[in-house]
């Protein structure tokens, strides 16, 4: 049924939701397009609602929070609805780094909180000739997304985010600094979590980012997206 497409996720559902250091790819929306003629095709964008105060506008590397519904252009059938996933929480992802299909990365640029868009994405900027079997998306499918953007934040791999976590300004992140950052993030979103979730996420962050195993996450290890200079 629509809205039940399986997605890769960490051991606990909390771990992939709104955590700006540990954003795993959204499997449904991140499969690479195969072949196609991207140069000759483009995303068509219709702004359905634009708030009076349109700031800040989204750019590559920003952390976005949005709801979106996905439809097949061929017959209008819905293949995805974020409001039916994970208790209906809006989705978090980093814009422009391949966590969603290329068409959505393009479609959500220069978008502001409260804005709504309807976008049409050609196959070459979606799932291409391969399609996406688990998502019930056939080969060469043109996709339509209805998007409502809630928040535009500094991305997890930005200079600003690194400096915010790096309290002692030594250009490396300690376990204590990241632990404190997680506590602040948890307090900000207000969701109730078992204490063990904090420890699991902290351990997972170091497992995935502390490549040299020295107990710190350096600026180089942190800045995996390479869109900022530290």
């Amino acid at each position: 049924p629509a809205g039940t497409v399986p997605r890769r996720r960490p051991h606990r559902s909390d771990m992939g939701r709104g955590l700006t250091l540990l954003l795993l790819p959204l499997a449904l929306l991140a499969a690479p397009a195969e072949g196609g003629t991207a140069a000759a095709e483009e995303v068509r964008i219709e702004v359905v609602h634009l708030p009076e105060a349109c700031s800040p506008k989204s750019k590559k590397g920003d952390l976005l929070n949005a709801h979106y519904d996905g439809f097949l252009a061929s017959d209008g059938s819905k293949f995805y609805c974020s409001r039916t996933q994970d208790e209906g929480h809006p989705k978090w992802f980093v814009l422009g780094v391949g966590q969603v299909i290329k068409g959505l990365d393009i479609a959500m640029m220069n978008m502001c909180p409260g804005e709504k868009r309807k976008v049409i994405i050609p196959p070459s900027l979606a799932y291409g000739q391969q399609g996406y079997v688990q998502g019930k998306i056939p080969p060469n499918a043109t996709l339509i997304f209805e998007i409502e953007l809630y928040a535009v934040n500094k991305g997890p791999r930005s200079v600003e985010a690194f400096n915010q976590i790096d309290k002692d300004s030594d250009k490396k992140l300690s376990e204590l600094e990241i632990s404190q950052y997680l506590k602040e993030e948890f307090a900000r979103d207000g969701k109730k979590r078992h204490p063990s979730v904090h420890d699991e996420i902290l351990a997972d962050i170091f497992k995935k980012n502390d490549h040299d195993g020295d107990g710190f996450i350096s600026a180089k290890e942190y800045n995996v997206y390479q869109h900022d200079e530290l």
Side-chain angles (χ1 to χ4, degrees):
T4 58
V5 178
R7 299 184 301 135
R8 292 192 298 271
R9 61 184 64 196
H11 297 302
R12 291 175 179 266
S13 60
D14 293 278
M15 294 173 67
R17 188 181 301 150
L19 296 172
T20 59
L21 270 173
L22 189 63
L23 282 163
L24 300 184
L26 307 178
L28 170 64
L29 299 174
E34 192 175 273
T37 56
E41 297 182 308
E42 60 183 17
V43 176
R44 284 181 281 168
I45 299 173
E46 175 188 351
V47 177
V48 177
H49 173 71
L50 188 68
E52 289 186 18
C54 184
S55 180
K57 289 192 174 183
S58 60
K59 63 184 184 303
K60 181 180 178 180
D62 282 344
L63 179 69
L64 305 188
N65 185 232
H67 265 313
Y68 40 80
D69 293 336
F71 306 85
L72 297 179
S74 58
D75 60 7
S77 62
K78 183 183 291 189
F79 63 84
Y80 184 74
C81 175
S82 63
R83 291 175 174 83
T84 64
Q85 300 289 318
D86 294 333
E87 301 176 352
H89 294 291
K91 305 307 173 197
W92 291 92
F93 61 93
V94 179
L95 184 64
V97 298
Q99 289 191 337
V100 293
I101 56 175
K102 188 171 183 179
L104 276 179
D105 269 338
I106 294 169
M108 296 184 70
M109 290 287 182
N110 298 309
M111 196 173 181
C112 57
E115 185 174 342
K116 298 179 182 179
R117 291 182 178 182
K118 180 179 180 180
V119 303
I120 301 175
I121 300 175
S124 61
L125 299 175
Y127 297 94
Q129 298 174 10
Q130 182 178 354
Y132 186 63
V133 175
Q134 294 95 320
K136 298 183 179 179
I137 298 172
N140 300 310
T142 297
L143 306 182
I144 298 172
F145 281 95
E146 294 178 355
I147 307 164
E148 181 174 4
L149 183 61
Y150 292 102
V152 177
N153 298 319
K154 292 289 185 182
R157 307 295 181 171
S158 67
V159 172
E160 293 89 349
F162 186 93
N163 291 338
Q164 179 187 354
I165 303 168
D166 184 22
K167 302 292 188 184
D168 61 7
S169 301
D170 64 353
K171 294 300 179 184
K172 58 184 180 180
L173 307 181
S174 68
E175 185 173 321
L176 181 62
E177 286 172 330
I178 294 179
S179 175
Q180 182 60 36
Y181 176 75
L182 288 175
K183 289 177 182 177
E184 292 170 359
E185 286 293 297
F186 286 172
R188 189 174 294 117
D189 72 18
K191 297 187 180 72
K192 291 183 179 180
R193 295 177 174 85
H194 191 277
S196 64
V197 174
H198 171 279
D199 296 336
E200 289 183 19
I201 293 174
L202 185 62
D204 204 57
I205 288 171
F206 272 87
K207 180 180 178 181
K208 287 182 168 62
N209 293 276
D210 182 17
H211 304 304
D212 61 10
D214 67 350
F216 294 90
I217 297 175
S218 68
K220 184 177 180 180
E221 289 171 328
Y222 177 85
N223 195 32
V224 297
Y225 296 137
Q226 302 297 321
H227 65 266
D228 283 315
E229 294 297 327
L230 279 165

